[in-house]
Amino acid sequence: MPRILATRFLLPLSLLLIPIFLQAQNPSPSSAKNCASCHADIVRNYSETTMANASGAAMQALIPGEFTHSPSGVHYRIYEQSDKAWLSFDRNSGESLEGQRELLYFIGSGQRGRTYLFSDDGYAFEAPVNWYAQSKTWDMTPAYKSADHMPLNLPASVSCLHCHTSGFHAPAPGTDNKYSSPLFSQPGISCERCHGNADAHALSTKNVLNPDKLPPAQRDSICMQCHLEGNAAIEQPGKHLYDFAPGDNLSDFVHYLVLSTDRQANPRAVSQFEALAQSACKRRAGDTMHCTTCHDPHRTPSNAERVNYFRAKCIACHGEKFAKKHNSKNPDCTSCHMPRLASSDVAHTQATDHRILRRPGAETASAQPTLSAIALKPQLERFPAQAGPPTDRDLVLGWLALAQAGRNFANAQEEALLPQAANEYPRDSAILSAYAYRELVHKRTQHAKELYESALQIDPLNIDAAVNLGVLEAQSGSSTRAISLWRDAFARAPWRSSIGMNLARLTCNLGNADEAKLSLQRVLQFNPDQPDARQFLHAMQSQPSTCNQYP
């Protein structure tokens, strides 16, 4: 029997994406131009901000360079040729490798870093290497820090596009990253992303939405949608982050969870809102202090005016008298109380510490976990706390996301909640699929099979349920059903090499060498350095009896 691999119920580390796809709201491609006719100065200043320059065509922001990844021996090069942007890769030692991909879009303003996107057969992917601006270094993207071969199949996620572009299209039904072209109608963050649809306003029939005049929860939601990460973010049933529109309450779409014991000395790269909530300033000021208390979203102060600009924000609350007594020789409040620290989750990147610590050195040291804190049982809590407690569904999927991120203690927490959550949410495909995997781990295969069948009846496009049910079918001798499940899943997620490998092994074992070869070639199209696929295909081409020998 060929070696057939089950897959874990996989989640992106930051967002659970349940495959009920809706069309994202598309602002007019010319919305900035429309706004400029009446708000020329604001639009001109905003055009120079990081938000306005968060994405675009690759050739508009190409940073040429090259980089050799030592563990894999792959040499990467980013360059321009024939008015197009390209990524090439090659390796001369060991297993030879050579190829290129046209880079179509960039993501990231370049202040911290930049990555590029390419498309393969309509599926959008991130390049495996990133430009890290603060260290002026090319290196592997954060998802591939520990890669030992060349990875080329990192999907361009919905959450990434939501926070860096405007007017992007949701993926095709049942896929994670197959988008229509172009990926988005407007580069960067448009005016409408914060002010709502401006069509009526342009016709002078309705005032545009002013975030500062919204209730605190709706006001803060506009910033939180991209500046809050937490330990897990759970999209609510039938809803997506990209369904959110200015004026909505973000907690209706996504529940953010944080670990009670996870108070790191270094902030996450993208979770300013969470850090601000820990500051004494925010705790004392409450809802009167928010992002735009200190930041003007329409402009970025120049280097020459930055110190005085932010000092004035501090003085507005603390007063001139306090400012004169407090370290009058150094007017740069942020250099002491909001220093840049190496982020806890992205290499080569520093993040401004929005905790606004009174004594950063001493308080940062005290933030390190103590023995008593380590002994405490970690709990997942909703953020912000006033949003209410997490649901059982939130907790199961939150622990599952943490387990996928390598937090081994989360496995037991998830497992303990699964039976209760399955009873509470009997029509939730994600919960049933997670429960089924746990039952599969404990070799309760019949119950696992029943749960996977139920998950697929509720959501026929649940790829993980289809893949793992196929494993059970193959093991029980129902090869035809297994192949059918895997063919459909692999057609919608050809970048998931494990599905193609399962399909190749089983079809080869059943005597269909041609389909096995096609599956392996498809694996290598999206993941050209996949060692098992390379070896298996080579063996099939040189030894006709490989199917009975290959593990």
Side-chain angles (χ1 to χ4, degrees), residues 439-455:
E439 294 293 85
L440 187 59
V441 168
H442 291 295
K443 302 188 184 305
R444 294 189 278 264
T445 54
Q446 183 57 38
H447 191 211
K449 184 175 181 179
E450 293 169 0
L451 289 167
Y452 280 131
E453 291 280 14
S454 296

Side-chain angles (χ1 to χ4, degrees), residues 529-541:
D529 200 26
Q530 214 283 345
D532 286 349
R534 289 166 66 101
Q535 294 167 16
F536 193 2
L537 184 60
H538 177 74
M540 286 193 69
Q541 292 170 337

Side-chain angles (χ1 to χ4, degrees), residues 311 318-327:
R311 181 176 178 81
H318 292 281
E320 288 282 359
K321 185 177 180 180
F322 174 83
K324 289 178 181 179
K325 290 182 178 180
H326 179 69
N327 200 6

Side-chain angles (χ1 to χ4, degrees), residues 191-196 208-223 225 244 246-247 290-292 297-298:
C191 306
E192 293 180 338
R193 288 291 304 279
C194 298
H195 294 286
V208 75
L209 185 146
N210 183 344
D212 282 342
K213 293 183 179 181
L214 292 172
Q218 285 93 320
R219 175 200 67 201
D220 295 344
S221 291
I222 293 173
C223 300
Q225 61 178 315
F244 170 83
H290 48 96
C291 300
T292 57
H298 295 137

Side-chain angles (χ1 to χ4, degrees), residues 296-349:
D296 181 351
H298 295 137
R299 65 181 292 265
T300 301
S302 66
N303 290 334
E305 63 179 331
R306 187 190 65 82
V307 169
N308 289 333
Y309 177 89
F310 287 110
R311 181 176 178 81
K313 301 296 183 181
C314 298
I315 291 174
C317 290
H318 292 281
E320 288 282 359
K321 185 177 180 180
F322 174 83
K324 289 178 181 179
K325 290 182 178 180
H326 179 69
N327 200 6
S328 58
K329 294 182 180 180
N330 180 11
D332 189 355
C333 305
T334 61
S335 66
C336 288
H337 300 286
M338 300 180 69
R340 284 180 172 266
L341 302 176
S343 74
S344 61
D345 55 350
V346 180
H348 310 295
T349 300

